[in-house]
Amino acid sequence: MKLSQLLERLEYEVVQGSDAIEISTLTYDSRKVEKDSVFVCICGAVSDGHQYIEQVAESGASAIIVEKEVDAPNHLTVIRVKDTRYALAMTSAAYFGYPAEKLKVIGITGTKGKTTTTYMIKSILEGVGRKVGLIGTIETIIGDTTIPAANTTPESYMIHQYFSQMLEAGCDSVVMEVSSQGLMLHRTAGIPFEIGIFTNLGKDHIGPNEHTDFEDYKRCKALLFQQCKLGIANIDDEYYQDVFKNATCHVETFGFSENADLRADNVQLVSRPGYLGVSYHAKGLLDMNVEIDIPGKFSVYNSLTAIAVCRHFQVPEAVILDALKCAKVKGRIEMIPVSEDFTLLIDYAHNAMSLESLLATLKEYHPNRLVCLFGCGGNRSKDRRFEMGEVSGRLADLTIITSDNPRFEDPQAIIDDIKVGIGRTNGEYVEICDRKAAIKYAIEHGQLGDIIVLAGKGHEDYQEIKGVKYPMDERVLIQEVLEELRAEK
């Protein structure tokens, strides 16, 4: 294709060469440049693509897209734009033939609830024969192919490549998590979202490698509702009005409020041996009784969101109810059968807001003891550690502090920060740095009627230490612990 076709939806300046040249491939990775490639110079957190111009020229690139003044070999075409991340999104869409325009794209943003809701929507839509792709925190699903995720929202080039592959696999729809980072870095720029969803907003992802402050976090979340046709919003969230004040889409709401277009009424906790769930009556835009086998109020919100979306696809009520029972998400309130005496579950809750929601929900089921095992990630805001420690100390009967992904920090230093937060409460705790040993302690000391939560890792099957991801799946650790305990008897 011609370079001008790639640039057709961009404002740009031809600094050197010509935009009429033929190009072969588009890339933002200097290692993937080949003859006649276009290389987009992205300013990343670790490296700046503008530093690789000589290298990509030697590798055969015929054009580069820049946002800075550069010295480039004379044979290279140089295209200058205001923002190369935005340019990457728009050129990627063109390169793959604008696949998003041939799909019904549903985007979900919010601090928590995104992952579970994506799987619920996928399950419901597949119940009426739609073929649905998924892009999210855990994985990307394209037909029968599953690709583990590196980011909640991939780089824009990958998104459009996935969309293209979804079309080839026969998909007609895609549901995707849209992170604040993804919106801030223009990864979803130019995607015509059919529906955008706002779940909730909490003070998370604020730090040196994320958002500068809460206002920036909130501003980025709101961007989704300036590029979708319909916005579906949690009216109960305190920041709902702020997020939607500049929205350009039609808006529908869900929640517990009488003002919600779709609302939950008569919520009942459902509990029996090996089962925690919730039931409610949906009123307003639909009128139906709902029961799901995921506990708590946040599960009501997640299912309401899915129902609100699928109503626009004319899904029958019976299909919605059946599909909600089948929608299971790895690492989200995932119950692991361990003992007939107590309940053990794994959850991804890895910030104060999600941990508080989880623990408060489980306390409503009146366990004998609520035991919370968790750690915090290294090279992230220390405030998260203090806050999570305080939440667990206040709500759990026993906290087991352990290691999560220490990254380049000393695991004990992270534990010490968590203890600062717990110290603000009267909560009891033990500290066991090795996560497997901590899990063994939790199982070994489990009592009749306890609920034990392993929080923070969820779907993750690794532990990141000093830049290396070592295999570590809590499901595997649990089985190893059970075998060791049996052998010790």
Side-chain angles (χ1 to χ4, degrees), residues 97-116:
Y98 302 104
E101 297 178 6
K102 302 161 191 169
L103 293 160
K104 298 287 187 184
V105 184
I106 302 161
I108 305 176
T109 197
T111 302
K112 61 188 180 68
K114 298 188 298 295
T115 300
T116 301

Side-chain angles (χ1 to χ4, degrees), residues 25 38 71 80 92 102 110 128-129 141 146 253 258 266 319 353 378 429 432 438 456 469 487:
T25 60
V38 180
D71 289 323
R80 186 159 180 182
S92 296
K102 302 161 191 169
V128 288
I141 302 174
T146 298
T253 59
E258 283 294 320
N266 192 30
V319 173
M353 182 183 181
Y429 71 89
I432 304 171
K469 290 184 177 180

Side-chain angles (χ1 to χ4, degrees), residues 6-38:
L6 206 65
L7 301 168
E8 63 186 2
R9 295 190 184 180
L10 272 174
E11 291 185 10
Y12 63 93
E13 175 190 359
V14 182
V15 177
Q16 179 175 296
S18 168
D19 62 358
I21 61 171
E22 290 285 336
I23 57 96
S24 59
T25 60
L26 172 71
T27 183
Y28 59 99
D29 185 337
S30 60
R31 297 164 296 185
K32 295 181 179 178
V33 168
E34 54 190 57
K35 188 177 185 303
D36 292 331
S37 287
V38 180

